[in-house]
Amino acid sequence: MGVTHRRRGAAAAAVPTAALLVAAVLLALTGVGAVLARRGEPVAPRADAMAEAGAVQGPGADRAAVPPGDPVTVRIPAVGVVAPLVPLGTAADGTLEVPRYEEAGWYAGGSRPGDPGPAVIAAHVDSTTGPAVFYRLEDAKPGDVVHVDYPEGTVTFVVRESHSFPKTGFPTDRVYGPTEGPELRLITCDGTFDRSTRSYRSNLVVWADAAETA
């Protein structure tokens, strides 16, 4: 697991405005390069870029039987995550819509969790009042399970690895590169809080693979 530098508890109390997530992560796919979104606001990739990244078929492409409809809940029992899932689109300025602090969001312009390709779920790490949905995401370990519930079923993933990256050096290819089957990326803010940009300096990414079905 990657080394993180967040000061639990103190971060939420010290942050003057809520620190959001995924700045350089999704921005890199727009071709803008290393420009960072202010206040930690995530910027969505072009829909065609995400579709191209997730279009690869391989031996594991049909591992997960995905129920119809949109995902409604994400659960990570090992770190106490149970949160409603909302679809995230893009705002008029090109930034990714953000969920509320008690919600997680999945990028609806990319793969649904369980469909072939790298699906993305993002959530806040904290707010001015305390921990948010992904506050304990850094504690997720290889082998922990992630359940994504649909109205008519559940898709399960198994955590493979997690790392913290500075937003200026985010590994876009590793996160959004082609996959042979359904994979999941869980993303939140991490590291120390930069008061000048009013956002965290790093992103935490957790990679998870679709569980084998019987």
Side-chain angles (χ1 to χ4, degrees):
M1 179 176 294
V3 177
T4 57
H5 306 281
R6 187 167 71 253
R7 296 181 179 178
R8 293 176 180 266
V15 178
T17 61
L20 306 182
L21 47 134
V22 204
V25 182
L26 300 178
L27 181 59
L29 283 183
T30 68
V32 181
V35 180
L36 298 181
R38 295 289 177 151
R39 300 180 301 282
E41 293 172 348
V43 177
R46 301 188 318 272
D48 59 343
M50 179 65 88
E52 181 179 353
V56 173
Q57 298 291 312
D62 59 352
R63 281 189 300 177
V66 185
D70 289 344
V72 294
T73 308
V74 59
R75 295 179 288 123
I76 314 174
V79 295
V81 170
V82 179
L85 265 178
V86 297
L88 301 178
T90 54
D93 62 358
T95 59
L96 186 69
E97 295 174 338
V98 293
R100 295 183 298 179
Y101 302 114
E102 68 274 17
E103 297 173 333
W106 67 283
Y107 177 53
S111 299
R112 292 185 310 157
D115 282 340
V120 172
I121 293 178
H124 297 273
V125 64
D126 60 15
S127 71
T128 56
T129 60
V133 169
F134 277 173
Y135 186 69
R136 290 186 57 203
L137 185 62
E138 68 174 2
D139 295 329
K141 296 178 175 60
D144 289 345
V145 295
V146 180
H147 302 294
V148 178
D149 299 321
Y150 285 80
E152 299 181 16
T154 298
V155 176
T156 298
F157 298 84
V158 179
V159 171
R160 182 174 77 237
E161 61 181 308
S162 65
H163 298 282
S164 182
F165 302 97
K167 291 180 177 178
T168 54
F170 194 85
T172 302
D173 289 344
R174 286 191 61 193
V175 174
Y176 293 105
T179 65
E180 292 186 344
E183 296 189 13
L184 182 66
R185 284 81 166 99
L186 307 171
I187 307 176
T188 194
C189 281
D190 195 38
T192 56
F193 187 77
D194 186 338
R195 293 181 179 276
S196 65
T197 60
R198 303 175 76 85
S199 68
Y200 283 101
R201 291 188 171 95
S202 302
N203 285 124
L204 176 68
V205 182
V206 174
W207 283 263
D209 302 314
E212 296 288 349
T213 56

